[in-house]
Amino acid sequence: TDLPRSPPAAAEPRHASPAAPRRLREKLRTAARMAAPPAHTAPGSRQQVQGGERRAQPATGAPPAARETRAPFRFDYERFRRSLRHPVRGRQLGEDPETRARRMKVKEMMKFAWDNYKQYALGKNELRPLTKNGHIGNMFGGLRGATVVDALDTLYIMELEEEFQEAKKWVEKSFDLNVNGEASLFEVNIRYIGGLLATYYLTGEEVFKSKALELGEKLLPAFNTPTGIPRGVINLGRQDTRSLFSPCSGMSWSWGWASAGSSILAEFGTLHLEFLHLSELSGNPVFAEKASTSLLVLNRVEKPQGLYPNFLSPVTGNWVQHHVSIGGLGDSFYEYLIKSWLMSDKKDSEAKKMYDDALEAIEKHLVKKSAGGLTYIAEWRGGILEHKMGHLACFSGGMIALGAEHAGEERKQHYVELAAEITNTCHESYVRSDTKLGPEAFRFDAGTEAMATRLSERYYILRPEVVESYMYMWRLTHEPKYRQWGWEVVKALEKYCRVEAGFSGIRDVYTTTPVHDNMQQSFFLAETLKYLYLLFCEDDVLSLDDWVFNTEAHPLPVNHTNFKA
Ligand code: DMJ
């Protein structure tokens, strides 16, 4: 995660609008309709710039009488809660004692992870459990408390009330958005905005909504590129052009390691779930418009063999190099296509078509079977296959399971099987290690099957993707093996990753005396423990009828009420 940075690129014209073909204009109109103000709000009363309800102003030249009757936009939280089909924490009916005990064990792990973070690192981004101090890192542009914001909804769902109140208090009193530093647009979006939005929807507490909107506004300048595709890094400082002290504020640039100033597919393609909700909550379509533009550019651009390469120029809108991966650099883009469709209550048929087409191309060109009969998804470098699967790519079992439920009858069984096979392969990468935890990447070549062959790929950093797929496969099939596999992960985490003051990643999964990496990742609390907990819950806890999980496992509601395609 500690990635090198490139210097700021030359500033591009602000507000440059991308070429807007007819379909793009239609899509933007749809996005704007989704975020349309209620009928009682007079046209023109919202500024078409950054800001939500706090900035609502009368339209220039409107008659005084109209001005008086206008109400500022207000999201109807009660109406939203009534639209949910299940209680958010479920009813917990009819469960067996073993499942309950396992769920309680995961809850205890969450409490342990949180208590240690609180004791040694509260206000820092992550806990260093061996040295018992905090880690700030360089992904969040001066923002603090990544673990607090990532943990909020997990604490709430697990009914860790006291701990949730501690986290909430920190957000209210200490979460400072007035920072000046270089942040990853993607990471700030999935962890902070996702976490705040989810917690607002779960609790109705205004502080989470207002922080999410304020932070969302700070991200908007990243989209000021010729294509509307955002750059990966943004300076979060106040955008005061007169200030000598923060001359880079609001500027964005590409990662130094990304080819030729390109933007990363998994980064700019993993914004729209959250941004649609920022529009939904603020009544301001600007967020939905910005995020939708990237998808439209992607939809339009020619794709080699129907595949989406990982690097695209935000200046020209063309691919910069032909490297395709369903793991790192590509992963969550595919996830957000199917989830866009689900979140729109199955109305966003364009996203569904993009997902279906992409999956078809992936199956045709990347899905392979090993000599030992394991199905895996290879990577593609300009037409040459690399027979490697990253731990990150293991989310795809869950994604394909999620999509399978909604595929036509003739495809459904096929996708259920594909999802099960990929999940099984990822499980194999765990069981073939000495710790029963999976490596960062595993390969299928030179007689190797589902094991890391390079020293640099043997580590495990508390990642969630494999248990994420177990959770989706469990909900789809209710086959007991998925709960059993999840329980094996719990036992391995306890044995090899739990240390005196929290949980730590390990440097080599193939040794039973592992060296710890001294890092309790925030996604361990947001995702790994949440998915494990849900695996041992009834299906009505955060029901998939009502919620889609963003790529950091923050639940965002399905739009049962407002979307009018
Ligand atoms: C998380 O931050 C998210 O799941 C992201 O999409 C990918 N990587 C990590 C966890 O491994």
Side-chain angles (χ1 to χ4, degrees):
T1 52
D2 292 345
L3 301 165
R5 297 278 161 72
S6 59
E12 277 160 358
R14 299 234 155 180
H15 315 297
S17 56
R22 190 174 56 82
R23 288 183 74 193
L24 168 63
R25 287 196 304 271
E26 278 166 14
K27 177 95 180 188
L28 292 179
R29 272 200 293 273
T30 302
R33 266 207 307 279
M34 180 179 173
H40 64 264
T41 307
S45 66
R46 284 174 301 124
Q47 289 184 314
Q48 298 296 300
V49 292
Q50 298 168 23
E53 59 206 67
R54 288 167 297 107
R55 298 210 178 164
Q57 282 185 0
T60 317
R67 238 177 264 147
E68 279 153 28
T69 56
R70 266 176 229 133
F73 177 81
R74 191 182 153 273
F75 176 75
D76 189 341
Y77 184 77
E78 293 311 319
R79 178 165 172 251
F80 150 69
R81 285 304 292 243
R82 286 195 301 274
S83 77
L84 294 177
R85 293 170 184 171
H86 306 271
V88 291
R89 289 157 165 172
R91 294 187 182 84
Q92 301 294 354
L93 299 173
E95 61 181 352
D96 61 279
E98 186 186 64
T99 304
R100 183 172 192 285
R102 290 179 171 186
R103 189 171 70 246
M104 288 303 124
K105 176 64 202 166
V106 179
K107 181 172 173 176
E108 183 277 329
M109 293 164 78
M110 179 69 186
K111 181 167 166 47
F112 181 70
W114 169 260
D115 283 348
N116 279 291
Y117 167 75
K118 185 187 70 178
Q119 182 171 354
Y120 298 113
L122 183 65
K124 300 290 192 313
N125 283 325
E126 287 163 316
L127 166 68
R128 289 194 179 278
L130 298 189
T131 45
K132 300 184 181 169
N133 58 354
H135 173 252
I136 289 175
N138 60 3
M139 288 191 305
F140 304 119
L143 292 173
R144 297 287 185 267
T147 294
V148 179
V149 181
D150 246 0
L152 276 163
D153 54 11
T154 311
L155 294 171
Y156 181 81
I157 283 301
M158 291 185 180
E159 301 181 45
L160 285 163
E161 305 294 352
E162 205 180 297
E163 292 76 8
F164 174 78
Q165 289 306 328
E166 290 161 359
K168 180 183 148 193
K169 191 169 153 209
W170 186 87
V171 171
E172 284 171 336
K173 301 252 181 313
S174 310
F175 186 31
D176 184 9
L177 300 185
N178 194 14
V179 294
N180 186 8
E182 300 158 13
S184 157
L185 174 69
F186 165 78
E187 297 290 355
V188 169
N189 178 56
I190 67 168
R191 300 192 200 210
Y192 284 93
I193 294 193
L196 292 164
L197 286 172
T199 311
Y200 171 67
Y201 280 116
L202 291 171
T203 65
E205 306 259 15
E206 289 290 315
V207 62
F208 301 115
K209 181 176 87 172
S210 61
K211 295 277 185 194
L213 292 175
E214 197 182 327
L215 193 48
E217 286 180 30
K218 283 173 169 280
L219 301 184
L220 289 174
F223 294 83
N224 293 330
T225 65
T227 56
I229 297 218
R231 298 185 184 281
V233 188
I234 177 157
N235 187 295
L236 291 180
R238 205 157 44 87
Q239 291 145 53
D240 181 354
T241 44
R242 293 160 304 177
S243 167
L244 293 175
F245 301 106
S246 57
C248 291
S249 298
M251 276 185 68
S252 66
W253 52 94
S254 303
W255 294 108
W257 48 266
S259 305
S262 54
S263 296
I264 313 292
L265 180 67
E267 295 197 337
F268 67 83
T270 308
L271 300 168
H272 42 286
L273 296 190
E274 295 81 0
F275 274 54
L276 281 169
H277 278 290
L278 291 175
S279 282
E280 178 82 5
L281 293 181
S282 65
N284 189 338
V286 69
F287 302 103
E289 287 171 0
K290 296 277 184 200
S292 302
T293 301
S294 299
L295 278 194
L296 294 166
V297 173
L298 283 170
N299 201 5
R300 219 175 43 212
V301 68
E302 203 175 308
K303 293 165 261 300
Q305 318 277 4
L307 296 166
Y308 290 82
N310 291 337
F311 298 98
L312 190 119
S313 163
V315 176
T316 65
N318 292 323
W319 304 115
V320 173
Q321 51 147 277
H322 285 187
H323 174 208
V324 178
S325 164
I326 192 102
L329 305 179
D331 50 5
S332 42
F333 158 68
Y334 304 97
E335 175 187 350
Y336 271 34
L337 290 177
I338 186 68
K339 289 181 175 177
S340 289
W341 180 69
L342 291 169
M343 202 178 82
S344 72
D345 212 8
K346 304 177 194 162
K347 307 262 187 343
D348 187 354
S349 49
E350 236 169 30
K352 175 72 161 48
K353 178 154 179 17
M354 285 173 79
Y355 172 78
D356 288 341
D357 291 350
L359 186 55
E360 203 179 311
I362 287 166
E363 257 205 277
K364 191 163 167 202
H365 300 287
L366 308 183
V367 173
K368 298 286 159 198
K369 203 163 253 206
S370 71
L374 296 179
T375 302
Y376 63 96
I377 308 184
E379 302 200 352
W380 194 81
R381 291 175 188 275
I384 313 270
L385 285 185
E386 191 180 9
H387 297 272
K388 159 192 158 192
M389 210 169 150
H391 192 290
L392 289 166
C394 284
F395 86 98
S396 59
M399 175 186 74
I400 295 168
L402 188 62
E405 266 204 282
H406 309 281
E409 251 339 286
E410 74 294 353
R411 297 300 286 157
K412 179 174 173 170
Q413 193 47 33
H414 169 72
Y415 284 134
V416 172
E417 280 162 23
L418 180 61
E421 285 174 20
I422 290 169
T423 305
N424 179 60
T425 299
C426 293
H427 175 245
E428 285 298 315
S429 78
Y430 274 48
V431 296
R432 291 173 193 217
S433 82
D434 298 22
T435 56
K436 307 302 168 207
L437 295 165
E440 179 67 2
F442 45 94
R443 291 176 185 262
F444 300 86
D445 48 24
T448 300
E449 299 232 344
M451 288 185 72
T453 53
R454 301 179 185 186
L455 274 178
S456 61
E457 294 173 343
R458 295 163 79 119
Y459 63 89
Y460 172 69
I461 56 168
L462 306 174
R463 286 200 191 277
E465 291 77 16
V466 175
V467 294
E468 174 181 354
S469 285
Y470 294 169
M471 194 281 291
Y472 282 109
M473 288 306 298
W474 163 257
R475 289 220 172 162
L476 181 67
T477 67
H478 292 124
E479 282 185 44
K481 71 178 179 193
Y482 295 113
R483 278 186 164 170
Q484 192 50 40
W485 291 356
W487 184 242
E488 282 156 16
V489 175
V490 168
K491 287 193 290 183
L493 286 168
E494 284 286 284
K495 192 163 177 187
Y496 297 109
C497 299
R498 188 168 179 142
V499 294
E500 191 195 322
F503 287 89
S504 168
I506 55 178
R507 297 202 190 277
D508 185 350
V509 295
Y510 300 107
T511 168
T512 51
T513 48
V515 175
H516 292 104
D517 69 5
N518 196 21
M519 182 66 84
Q520 179 177 280
Q521 305 279 348
S522 77
F523 54 66
F524 182 65
L525 292 85
E527 298 190 76
T528 313
L529 292 176
K530 187 186 284 133
Y531 286 131
L532 282 168
Y533 182 82
L534 292 175
L535 184 61
F536 301 116
C537 282
E538 296 298 305
D539 294 357
D540 59 355
V541 182
L542 291 179
S543 165
L544 298 177
D545 293 340
D546 286 325
W547 304 92
V548 293
F549 292 96
N550 89 337
T551 194
E552 190 79 357
H554 296 305
L556 300 173
V558 171
N559 194 324
H560 291 309
T561 51
N562 291 335
F563 190 95
K564 296 176 192 67

